[in-house]
Amino acid sequence: GAVVSQHPSRVICKSGTSVKIECRSLDFQATTMFWYRQFPKKSLMLMATSNEGSKATYEQGVEKDKFLINHASLTLSTLTVTSAHPEDSSFYICSARRGTGTYEQYFGPGTRLTVT
Amino acid sequence: GDSVTQMEGPVTLSEEACLTINCTYTATGYPSLFWYVQYPGEGLQLLLKATKADDKGSNKGFEATYRKETTSFHLEKGSVQVSDSAVYFCALSDQHAGNNRKLIWGLGTSLAVNP
């Protein structure tokens, strides 16, 4: 158990458009989901933490109006990159945690976003 | 704030060689420590963890011991295989954030094992 999927796995979009990335926990209920950005040869950068039914908590330096996060159900969180620019091109990864008493996160396979 | 430092890669080894990837941390309190692995084209997977001092986490032949006195959690394997080629991340859990506790990550170490 504890499988997390992401869709799409790859997306190419034009500058100025918006892109939505979905993160689903397939066999468990995720009270908390995390969105990360991974740069080449760099570690994971936590962008935001989202709890089901409440507003996401963004890390310092992450624009909440640009990276819209919705966690509408216990199995789905979405990240929308609005008005994308080439510098938003990156690998976006989500993770999900079940319950609040555990620290273990289960990761999705990631989404490669390329903005042209 | 809390932080994790791990050795830079890439690390290139021959099959059956010994592996050590160093990881040290700074934290207040008593964090839990983790090693995650990212195989090519796949998502991150938890490799092993330790939740208190002197605990040893182990999985798939890998081991790491939580050393409070040296604030370290080095990853070791006695005999690596080609299939171990991946990027390895050391991480600690933020103990102070309550329900929003998050993971603090090292930069990752790329391992390539040649046949």
Side-chain angles (χ1 to χ4, degrees):
Chain A
V3 178
V4 176
S5 70
Q6 275 183 247
H7 178 79
S9 57
R10 289 179 177 272
V11 57
I12 300 172
C13 70
K14 292 187 176 180
S15 192
T17 61
S18 295
V19 175
K20 181 186 283 189
I21 302 170
E22 292 186 349
C23 177
R24 293 182 186 274
S25 56
L26 298 184
D27 51 3
F28 67 99
Q29 294 186 326
T31 53
T32 306
M33 287 185 169
F34 303 84
W35 285 97
Y36 294 86
R37 189 170 172 177
Q38 186 177 30
F39 297 93
K41 299 184 180 180
K42 294 283 187 182
S43 184
L44 297 168
M45 183 194 83
L46 179 64
M47 300 174 65
T49 302
S50 90
N51 292 298
E52 186 265 339
S54 62
K55 289 185 179 180
T57 302
Y58 289 81
E59 294 299 302
Q60 193 172 7
V62 177
E63 298 176 60
K64 62 179 68 176
D65 294 330
K66 179 164 186 62
F67 298 100
L68 301 178
I69 290 171
N70 184 284
H71 191 164
S73 78
L74 285 171
T75 58
L76 173 64
S77 176
T78 60
L79 167 68
T80 302
V81 183
T82 62
S83 187
H85 291 284
E87 57 265 31
D88 299 325
S89 298
S90 192
F91 195 57
Y92 292 87
I93 302 174
C94 74
S95 70
R97 189 177 70 202
R98 51 181 158 197
T100 56
T102 178
Y103 43 67
E104 189 158 346
Q105 297 179 24
Y106 301 94
F107 286 82
T111 297
R112 172 72 61 192
L113 170 63
T114 303
V115 184
T116 60
Chain B
D2 296 355
S3 67
V4 173
T5 303
Q6 65 181 101
M7 62 185 283
E8 289 191 34
V11 174
T12 303
L13 296 173
S14 297
E15 208 164 20
E16 299 183 3
C18 292
L19 169 71
T20 299
I21 300 178
N22 290 335
C23 173
T24 57
Y25 67 91
T26 58
T28 55
Y30 303 94
S32 295
L33 302 173
F34 307 85
W35 277 100
Y36 279 83
V37 58
Q38 186 176 31
Y39 297 104
E42 297 184 18
L44 282 155
Q45 303 172 27
L46 178 63
L47 179 60
L48 53 84
K49 64 178 186 271
T51 57
K52 61 183 188 295
D54 300 325
D55 267 3
K56 177 187 283 187
S58 61
N59 185 26
K60 299 183 180 180
F62 290 89
E63 292 183 340
T65 301
Y66 188 144
R67 302 263 186 224
K68 192 170 185 300
E69 64 275 14
T70 54
T71 62
S72 65
F73 193 55
H74 304 322
L75 182 68
E76 299 176 325
K77 186 172 186 180
S79 176
V80 294
Q81 305 300 312
V82 173
S83 57
D84 294 326
S85 299
V87 181
Y88 293 82
F89 292 90
C90 185
L92 66 81
S93 69
D94 176 352
Q95 299 291 88
H96 305 296
N99 291 341
N100 276 346
R101 66 180 66 177
K102 54 193 180 188
L103 293 173
I104 311 296
W105 296 86
L107 289 179
T109 303
S110 175
L111 169 67
V113 180
N114 298 320

